[in-house]
Every structure is written in structure tokens, then in C-alpha cells.
Amino acid sequence: MAGSNNIETDVAIIGGGGAGIPAAIEVARAGGKALVLEVAAECGGTAAISGGGCCIVGTPLQKSQGINDTPDLAFGDWIAFGGGAADEVWARYYLEHSLHELYHWGESCGVRWVDLRFQEGNSVPRWHRPDNNGLGLMTALIKTAEHIPNITVMTGVSAGKLLTEGGRVRGVAASKDNQALEIRAKSTIVATGGFNSNLDMVLEHRPEFKQFKVMEGSGVGAKGEGHRMIQELGGYFTHMGDIWFYVFATPDYLDPRQRRGVAFRQVPGYLWFNQQGKRFHNESLTGGASATPALLRQNPPHAWAVADTPMLAKMDVADPQYRRGDVIDRAKVEAMLNNSPYIKKGNSLAELAANCAIEDVKNFVGEIEDYNNDFDAKRESDRKFAKPLKGSKKFDTPPYYAIQIFPLARKNFGGAKTDLRCRALNKYFEPIPGLYAAGEVAGMAGGHINGKNGLEGTMLGPSIFSGRVAGAWAAQEAGFGQGFVGKANRPEGE
Ligand SMILES: Cc1cc2nc3c(=O)[nH]c(=O)nc-3n(C[C@H](O)[C@H](O)[C@H](O)COP(=O)(O)OP(=O)(O)OC[C@H]3O[C@@H](n4cnc5c(N)ncnc54)[C@H](O)[C@@H]3O)c2cc1C
């Protein structure tokens, strides 16, 4: 590697995604200089390919739809759904602040919250979708950061090893275009995301999945590099096996390693069949809590997502290579539908079943006919699994398609343990001086804010929030501002 360049800053932030960009905004607003190091050509990370949904409580959008929600109600749902493994202090801290410090703060950065969805485990709808999903949200935050003079963003920079001096973290060694860089900082935030695009690491923490085909499914930068950096300095990791797997994903036929999976959305009518030709789950419940265990109970543990041609007209593939900017690249989606060896076609349902080597073709066709009959009878939901029929349609327009789906590792619910200032802790629960961790590298916030299951919107929301908390406290340690002072969602006067 040629020469070495030294760069000085107040706070170094490794990763320019959902946690890193908000962290930089906080540092700069406290008066410090923030340097964001991002390995990709652009900032945004997994957050920019995400659905963008955030779990937020007591918002004007909820009120406009007559939904009365409170942090107490949400906390009860959160803890119950987390299966006894959620960090109650962080969950409470996040929920109490989500209205002012995420919803309104996001709006002040140009984010527009446009609709609300109900998600499994919630008493009321509280999954707030921003305009243009994760891409819209991250574009607004990145633009905000670009307008703040104290923030410098360096892209194409791979951070490698944290630097220490006198027992403190003092920045990070990195490289850009084969050139070594030494970033010297008063405090350092690791915001590198999760490790679900590193299949070896996924299988190390979930060895029982070695017997199945499992795919890498996070943003391409989510390789666990920040985990390694923190671990090298004695950081404590917790709940690492709590990985949220999804099933509405198919192998990316363009990946030469055949490891990456792509999630597809906007096919509301599809039905899932196992290899025997039987439906096994309510396909409208796609979250990791019920859909993944249902798929893994099948033998073999994969399924076919079956649709007719109009159902696929708006199919969205959640991966940058299937998009042009913020629009779906339809030609690439069509190419995938026509060329992937994991996608079969048939001019009749029986032909499709034969092409998928379905064992019981009669049952397969019969179940689809039953489903079609539910439409003819104008039922609200289908008789087999009570899947709502609104927004779906009958199977009546060939060619029919079957997309083979496998479990996909998507979200890390465990990670580096931190305190409420996002200081990375060692195994004695003492802060490692000068080191902060935020976002998915810290299990979204604090180490394990979700527990075993997430209410949805509980990954990106806490990543943004913990990024802000880390930024404010890292700036304070560097001599700027007073740390994070958030406004809680309390009734007026309390
Ligand atoms: C398809 C998909 C949809 C999702 N939808 C939702 C949703 O709707 N709601 C929700 O709550 N959550 C969702 N999530 C999860 C959510 O997007 C992530 O949990 C969140 O983005 C994590 O933020 P982060 O900043 O920790 O990581 P990221 O946003 O991934 O940012 C980390 C950044 O660090 C960079 N980086 C990594 N290593 C290095 C290095 N060595 N040097 C320099 N830079 C590095 C990466 O390139 C990346 O840009 C979704 C995830 C996926 C994959």
C-alpha cells in the first residue's frame, strides 16, 4: 500500500448509514467536527434499501386516523413480543422519545411520514412509512448532513482497525484506493451495521442453520467488520444468535457465489406451497416470528411463492441492482423472472407444478381453485388460513410463476453491549474509553433492544435514535455540547 495520510477530526464515525448519518448531525450541531467514513461509493447503507418503516408512538399521523397510542401500550407489546429477551431500559428509552426525537426530528430534516401500517404483535398500527421508504428517509438525512459545514464524508473508505493511545480509542486505520489513512479522533463511533451479509458469521452464531439453504440478506456492507473491530478491543457482545430471518426472498441469480438473497415485495396475491404441493401458512403474515418457523417446518425447508402474471406487475426487488435511483428497474425484474433458475413458469397450473417437481399436483391445483372460489363467493378472507383477500386477486391469467423462497438472514437483534450513552462496554460492563457503538452493530441500540422478535420498524427507528444518542455523547466526550438531551412523550404539564 502506498504512503499513509493522517487526518484529524473531533469524532470519527465508521459507517454512513441509518445510525452514522444521524450521529454526524448530532456531533456537528454540538459544535464538533464529524468525519464519516463509508466503504461504499455512496452513503445510505442498509437503511437506504430498507422499507423505511419506523415504530413510533403517539404521532399526529396516528391521531389523524383516530388511533390512540401511548409509550406504555407500546412498551407492553414490545416486551411481550420480544420473548423475554428485550432490553427493557433501552426499549423504554426509545419509545418515550420516538415522537419528538424521531418523528418530529425526522420532519425537521425533511422526512415526510406518509402512512401507517399494522404489523404483527402490535395492539395498534404504529409502523410509520416515510415518503419513498428507506431511500426517501436516508436521502433527506444525507441532504441535511451535506448542508452542515462541520461534517465531512469520505466514501470508498474501508475502516480496518481501531487505533488506541494511552488506553483510549483514538481513531481508526483505514484505506482508500490502496492508500493507507490514519484517522485521529477524540472519540470514535462504530456504526457499521449488522453481519447478515456474511454467511459464515451467520452460521457461526446459528450453527443449526448449516443444514438448510440460508441466504445473505442485509445491505452489501453488513459484513460484521465493526463487530471485529470492537471485539479486538475487548468489547462485550450479547444475544448474537438472535437473528431475524425472513422468507419472502429468493437467491439472487446474478450473484456468482450464490449466497445472496433478494427480498421481493408488492406481490400481495401470492400463495406459498411446499414441495408436496400444500399451503402451510397465512401468506399475509410475512414477518420472522411466524413465517420463518412455518417454512422451516417443511421438508425440504423451502417453498414456492406462486403468482399469476398481473400479480407480478408491481413486484419490487429490494436490492440496488434491481433499481434505478428510487424506481424499480422493470427490465431487470423481468430478466430475473425469465432467467433465474429459482423461478419457474407454466401456461397452466398443472404445467407449473410439473416444472417445480411438485409431488402432489392435484392438491396444488385444488388449493388454488379453492382460493379462487373464495373470491367468487366474495369472502373477506380465504377459508384455509384467513388470509385477507382485499388487495389480492384470483389466479386467472397465465403464464403462472413460482418463485422458490428460502430463509434469508436479515436483521441482527444482538450486538455490542452499550450503556445509555452508547459507550461500548467490555465484559466487566465498563466503557471502553473513547469508543461508541450505534445501530445494528449494537443490536440496533444498547445490545439487544428488540429481543427475539421485533414489532417491525424497531430496527431502523432505534438505529437512527441510537446514532443520535452516540453522536451527542461522543461530541460531549470530545469537548462539545452537553450530551443527548431528548424530549420525552409526556402529556402536557407532566
Ligand atoms: C431489505 C431490508 C429492509 C428493511 N426494512 C426495514 C424497515 O422497514 N424497518 C426497520 O425498522 N428496519 C428495516 N430494515 C433494517 C434496517 O434497515 C437496519 O437495521 C438499519 O439500516 C441499520 O442501520 P445501521 O446504520 O446500523 O446500518 P446500515 O444502514 O447498514 O449502515 C452501515 C454502513 O456502514 C458501512 N460500513 C460497513 N463496514 C464498514 C467499514 N469497514 N468501513 C466503512 N464503512 C463501513 C456500510 O457500507 C453501511 O453504509 C431492513 C433491512 C433490509 C435488509
Side-chain angles (χ1 to χ4, degrees), residues 86-266:
D87 179 330
E88 298 198 5
V89 178
W90 260 103
R92 174 63 83 175
Y93 190 41
Y94 168 71
L95 288 169
E96 292 288 348
H97 288 91
S98 64
L99 170 65
H100 295 290
E101 305 303 338
L102 181 54
Y103 188 93
H104 290 311
W105 178 83
E107 284 182 330
S108 75
C109 294
V111 176
R112 285 184 52 235
W113 304 105
V114 290
D115 60 49
L116 264 177
R117 279 192 204 151
F118 181 79
Q119 302 280 5
E120 238 176 314
N122 291 276
S123 302
V124 296
R126 50 173 80 98
W127 191 87
H128 290 68
R129 192 179 66 82
D131 193 18
N132 206 11
N133 307 322
L135 187 62
L137 184 147
M138 284 312 293
T139 304
L141 298 187
I142 291 166
K143 273 198 186 136
T144 301
E146 279 168 2
H147 286 99
I148 303 179
N150 268 359
I151 299 178
T152 306
V153 175
M154 291 178 70
T155 55
V157 174
S158 171
K161 193 175 167 57
L162 293 167
L163 302 172
T164 54
E165 201 180 283
R168 290 185 57 81
V169 174
R170 283 286 186 202
V172 63
S175 63
K176 180 175 170 69
D177 302 332
N178 229 13
Q179 178 94 22
L181 301 173
E182 241 185 54
I183 318 300
R184 293 264 150 201
K186 295 171 188 151
S187 47
T188 302
I189 302 172
V190 179
T192 45
F195 62 80
N196 285 328
S197 291
N198 179 341
L199 188 58
D200 296 333
M201 207 165 156
V202 170
L203 296 177
E204 180 192 327
H205 292 286
R206 292 297 294 270
E208 77 277 19
F209 275 89
K210 284 183 184 160
Q211 56 181 312
F212 305 130
K213 181 170 177 63
V214 171
M215 298 176 295
E216 296 177 345
S218 190
V220 285
K223 295 195 182 305
E225 290 180 7
H227 297 72
R228 175 188 44 76
M229 292 177 216
I230 296 172
Q231 206 151 32
E232 280 169 1
L233 295 189
Y236 182 75
F237 285 82
T238 186
H239 294 71
M240 291 289 277
D242 291 341
I243 298 173
W244 194 240
F245 290 88
Y246 282 72
V247 296
F248 48 98
T250 189
D252 183 3
Y253 78 113
L254 297 174
D255 176 13
R257 299 171 316 139
Q258 292 293 294
R259 282 186 152 208
R260 211 167 154 68
V262 283
F264 52 95
R265 310 186 188 108
Q266 312 281 14

Side-chain angles (χ1 to χ4, degrees), residues 14-20 37-39 44-47 49-53 127 157-159 191-193 217-219 221 225 229 265 318 410-411 439-440 444 457-461 463:
I14 309 172
L37 307 169
E38 169 53 54
V39 67
T46 309
I49 61 163
S50 76
W127 191 87
V157 174
S158 171
T192 45
S218 190
E225 290 180 7
M229 292 177 216
R265 310 186 188 108
R410 173 65 77 80
K411 293 162 185 170
E440 203 162 334
M444 317 299 173
T458 55
M459 304 93 194
L460 186 57
S463 293

Side-chain angles (χ1 to χ4, degrees), residues 390-468:
K390 194 170 168 223
S392 300
K393 66 177 284 297
K394 270 175 87 163
F395 286 72
D396 55 11
T397 314
Y400 299 105
Y401 289 80
I403 304 174
Q404 199 170 14
I405 58 178
F406 298 89
L408 166 115
R410 173 65 77 80
K411 293 162 185 170
N412 292 116
F413 284 168
K417 179 82 188 143
T418 79
D419 63 8
L420 276 185
R421 294 184 177 191
C422 292
R423 292 183 295 186
L425 303 178
N426 64 20
K427 67 176 178 181
Y428 307 108
F429 277 31
E430 294 159 346
I432 299 171
L435 185 62
Y436 294 75
E440 203 162 334
V441 70
M444 317 299 173
H448 59 110
I449 187 171
N450 279 281
K452 297 220 171 287
N453 304 300
L455 292 173
E456 297 291 357
T458 55
M459 304 93 194
L460 186 57
S463 293
I464 295 171
F465 180 67
S466 64
R468 291 194 59 206

Side-chain angles (χ1 to χ4, degrees), residues 48-106:
I49 61 163
S50 76
C54 291
C55 171
I56 316 181
V57 179
T59 64
L61 194 53
Q62 284 179 313
K63 289 195 177 121
S64 72
Q65 297 185 20
I67 297 161
N68 185 21
D69 196 11
T70 65
D72 285 344
L73 183 65
F75 182 73
D77 291 348
W78 188 300
I79 299 306
F81 206 56
D87 179 330
E88 298 198 5
V89 178
W90 260 103
R92 174 63 83 175
Y93 190 41
Y94 168 71
L95 288 169
E96 292 288 348
H97 288 91
S98 64
L99 170 65
H100 295 290
E101 305 303 338
L102 181 54
Y103 188 93
H104 290 311
W105 178 83

